[in-house]
Amino acid sequence: MSTASLSSPSFNNHSLALSRCSPWLTPLAYFLGEKLIVPSYFRQVKIRGQQNLSHQGPIILAPTHRARWDSIIIPYAAGRSVTGRDLHFMVTSDEVKGLQGWFIRRLGGFAVNVRSPSVSSLRHGIDLLQQAQMMVIYPEGGIFRDCQVHRLKPGLARIALQAEAQAHNLGIQVIPVSLRYDIPKPHWRSSVEIAFGPALDVSSYLPTQQKRPLTAEELKTTARQLTDDLTVDLTTLSDNQNQRLLF
């Protein structure tokens, strides 16, 4: 019986090298984003469901992906001024090149090749959850501007389930997040709404309460269940946004 373990030692220097929040750059970036960039660029920012955010414990924010602005709006609505927490973004390997990559790596981001994810990047996601961090993973895997929820990738569910299975009682939560702009490609004085839904409890999807790695078949089955439920919740949030005449 094969297992699908990505077990790893406790949070270590390798993990810190993959994703760290600079003690000087991170607070500066949050301050500029919250006080200057977002308020001056957007005409209106509506935030719904902030009561669903927790100030502690391991969390994965699972947002729809509608524009590059998403990675600025999400910290504005859920970052250190709201929850007291810095966010760790899982981004595509194409986004961590050059100057942009230098900033991303120092603001808690880490790269994954979506076409062929490496064991180290997936293990790093597990490490972060086991250290009770807040992660952001875009489950659709790319930007879609049509306001529809597209098929979700299974990687988010796999990381969450393996982290919870390796250390029971972590209490990992997956929070669906839907973003909607008033136009497909937001520009200066556009409007945006971000909505947070109720959390999904990852432990409730585990087939056993024993602390052990999941078998490959168990991981496949439970990841499908969690992904399906996340799809339903994201679709509900997105449909509600589309039905509201916000703009």
Side-chain angles (χ1 to χ4, degrees), residues 35-160:
K35 304 299 183 183
L36 179 63
I37 298 174
V38 172
S40 63
Y41 192 87
F42 289 93
R43 175 175 58 86
Q44 185 178 49
V45 179
K46 291 188 176 182
I47 305 173
R48 297 178 184 270
Q50 273 184 324
Q51 71 275 9
N52 293 313
L53 295 171
S54 176
H55 291 232
Q56 60 186 2
I59 291 177
I60 299 178
L61 299 180
T64 56
H65 206 0
R66 300 296 170 254
R68 290 194 178 275
W69 279 101
D70 296 350
S71 296
I72 296 177
I73 297 298
I74 294 169
Y76 176 85
R80 56 169 50 199
S81 67
V82 177
T83 62
R85 313 179 71 172
D86 296 330
L87 310 185
H88 294 264
F89 282 78
M90 178 182 282
V91 300
T92 64
S93 54
D94 295 335
E95 295 180 82
V96 290
K97 296 177 180 178
L99 182 61
Q100 174 177 286
W102 187 91
F103 278 100
I104 288 174
R105 286 190 296 271
R106 285 157 180 79
L107 293 173
F110 65 102
V112 61
N113 185 331
V114 294
R115 291 173 290 277
S116 180
S118 68
V119 171
S120 62
S121 61
L122 297 178
R123 181 182 294 132
H124 180 56
I126 293 174
D127 283 343
L128 289 172
L129 291 173
Q130 292 179 343
Q131 290 295 313
Q133 298 295 321
M134 182 183 285
M135 291 175 57
V136 181
I137 302 178
Y138 295 105
E140 292 172 301
I143 294 176
F144 298 94
R145 303 184 188 275
D146 57 3
C147 296
Q148 302 298 316
V149 176
H150 291 251
R151 183 176 180 179
L152 307 188
K153 309 295 184 184
L156 182 155
R158 288 174 174 267
I159 289 173

Side-chain angles (χ1 to χ4, degrees), residues 15 27 81 102 144 146 148 162 177 188 202 208 219 228 241:
S15 296
S81 67
W102 187 91
F144 298 94
D146 57 3
Q148 302 298 316
Q162 292 198 77
V177 186
W188 187 66
V202 174
T208 175
L219 181 60
D228 288 347
Q241 286 180 319

Side-chain angles (χ1 to χ4, degrees), residues 158-183:
R158 288 174 174 267
I159 289 173
L161 288 160
Q162 292 198 77
E164 187 70 40
Q166 289 174 20
H168 268 287
N169 301 319
L170 274 180
I172 298 172
Q173 297 180 355
V174 176
I175 298 179
V177 186
S178 182
L179 291 110
R180 184 184 186 276
Y181 299 86
D182 56 341
I183 54 176

